[in-house]
């Protein structure tokens, strides 16, 4: 059966009125992790929905990004549940997992390697007898208080499906709305470069004419901002000598730090290649000034409360801007609640509980970068745990509870 025919069959099956055990919304790393864990818990009849089943943003946008986690953690992820292990065992080598196995385990790798592993697992899970993959989007879900079930509307299915559980693994995307100051500086003609593009060196180089002068404003000091600075500097110091960068930052760089058995700033600090490059080139006490990067990068402190004044002086003359100021949850399906058949459906405002992965409505759960676990380190710092292995560790604990209590 061709892929297209198998999705058509899935669409027909999706419209069946037999309730699903769960509808899993999203086919990124989190969706893959949820499906693997639900199967591990013997949850039957899963409807898995995604517009592409191409491993989410790690494959679409971050293939050229160096990982901030060691290869060993990607392998640990791939081998964490039996359904994944069965896929690995039945996929001829070399495959995406054997490629990971042959890399140095304590170092990072390009995220393309992790994305390929997700693609392999996603394809394998599609062949599982309890998984019905449906290409498209979940558009809405209504919780019926009488039947205690969800009715889920789908873009590519003739009618809604009924399910006991719905799991939102819908992801997050870079915040790209213009900075408030741009309202006051509308005369400036600055081309916005999307963060996704700036994180992909092969695409970024095409954004500039090598022989025309360009000045790029980079906003932020996050992991993504440092990678963008490095990508731009690599262009400026090779093929694009007329490229200049103005780096607007209001925070000192913060690094993840290994402690005894745990990591301080594990989710918020710089790690991997980004940390190494920042330590060598961007730090204070003369390091930045002595580094060759300072020939192309001008560091501009945007002190809290005085940002606008700084932008007003420094932004004119910039031709491009990259904002690396965080990620926000992608839109979720319309959620409503009804007292029962025939009763009107009222909008449902959902509140996520980050210790259990539940929303405060029966049978609604979340996972992944949009709905991560909240963790507290031994110093009492609170963070949200984002990363393949962290999704897995959380869901191995949470999914048995989800299944037991429904
Ligand atoms: C720059 C960057 C680098 C990172 N590096 C690492 C790293 O080195 N190591 C690591 O472990 N983690 C890393 N992460 C963190 C994390 O692993 C990734 O962000 C990961 O892609 C998040 O997966 P996700 O499944 O939650 O979301 P996504 O990958 O965004 O997937 C969401 C999926 O849901 C689909 N979807 C959305 N709405 C609907 C709908 N209504 N119906 C159906 N489908 C829907 C989307 O189309 C998409 O396919 C990094 C994150 C970033 C931003």
């Amino acid at each position: 059966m061709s892929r297209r025919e198998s999705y058509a069959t899935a669409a027909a099956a999706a419209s069946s009125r037999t309730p699903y055990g769960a509808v899993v919304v999203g086919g990124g790393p989190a969706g893959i992790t949820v499906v693997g864990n639900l199967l591990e818990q013997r949850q039957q009849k899963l409807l898995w929905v995604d517009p592409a089943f191409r491993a989410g943003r790690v494959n679409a946008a971050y293939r050229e990004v160096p990982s901030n986690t060691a290869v060993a953690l990607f392998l640990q992820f791939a081998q964490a549940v039996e359904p994944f292990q069965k896929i690995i065992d039945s996929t001829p080598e070399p495959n995406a997992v054997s490629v990971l196995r042959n890399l140095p385990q304590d170092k990072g790798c390009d995220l393309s390697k992790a994305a390929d592993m997700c693609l392999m697992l996603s394809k394998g899970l599609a062949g599982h007898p309890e998984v019905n993959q449906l290409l498209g989007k979940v558009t809405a879900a209504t919780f019926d208080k009488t039947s205690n079930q969800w009715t889920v509307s789908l873009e590519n299915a003739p009618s809604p499906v009924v399910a006991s559980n719905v799991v939102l693994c819908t992801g997050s995307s870079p915040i790209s709305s213009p900075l408030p100051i741009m309202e006051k500086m509308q005369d400036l003609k600055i081309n916005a470069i999307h963060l996704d593009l700036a994180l992909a060196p092969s695409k970024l180089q095409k954004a500039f004419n090598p022989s025309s002068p360009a000045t790029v404003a980079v906003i932020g000091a996050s992991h993504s901002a440092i990678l963008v600075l490095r990508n731009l500097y690599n262009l400026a110091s090779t093929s694009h000598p007329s490229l200049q960068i103005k780096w607007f930052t209001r925070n000192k760089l913060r690094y993840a730090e290994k402690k005894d058995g745990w990591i301080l700033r594990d989710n918020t600090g710089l790690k991997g290649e980004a940390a190494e490059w920042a330590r060598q080139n961007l730090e204070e006490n003369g390091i930045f000034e002595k580094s060759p990067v300072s020939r192309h990068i001008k560091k501009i402190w945007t002190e809290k409360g005085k940002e606008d004044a700084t932008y007003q002086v420094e932004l004119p003359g910039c031709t491009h801007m990259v904002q690396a100021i965080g990620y926000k949850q992608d839109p979720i399906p319309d959620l409503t609640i009804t007292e029962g058949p025939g009763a009107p459906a009222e909008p449902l405002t959902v509140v996520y509980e980050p210790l259990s992965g539940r929303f405060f409505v029966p049978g609604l759960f979340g996972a992944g970068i949009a709905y991560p676990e909240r963790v507290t380190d031994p110093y009492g710092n609170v963070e949200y745990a984002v990363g393949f292995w962290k999704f897995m560790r959380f869901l191995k604990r949470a999914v048995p509870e989800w299944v037991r209590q429904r």
Side-chain angles (χ1 to χ4, degrees), residues 24-33 49-59 62 65-70 73-74 109 111 114 134 136-140 168-174 195 199 223-224 227 327 330-333 367-371 386-391:
V24 179
V25 191
I32 293 168
T33 318
V49 190
D50 187 275
F53 289 107
R54 299 289 302 156
R57 291 183 63 78
V58 73
N59 186 48
Y62 312 143
V65 172
S67 74
N68 54 28
T69 46
L73 286 186
F74 292 131
C109 61
L111 283 176
L134 184 73
K137 281 199 141 193
V138 170
T139 52
L168 300 176
C169 309
T170 41
S172 296
S173 301
L195 180 59
L199 285 170
H223 180 78
S224 301
L227 291 171
Y327 291 77
D330 287 332
I332 58 171
I369 190 168
Y371 303 107
V386 171
F388 283 50
W389 174 245
K390 289 167 187 165
F391 301 159

Side-chain angles (χ1 to χ4, degrees), residues 302-325:
T302 49
E303 207 182 313
K304 218 174 172 146
K306 297 186 188 157
E307 287 116 330
D308 281 10
T310 311
Y311 284 129
Q312 271 162 348
V313 173
E314 297 287 353
L315 278 183
C318 289
T319 52
H320 298 76
M321 182 186 286
V322 183
Q323 288 182 197
I325 53 173

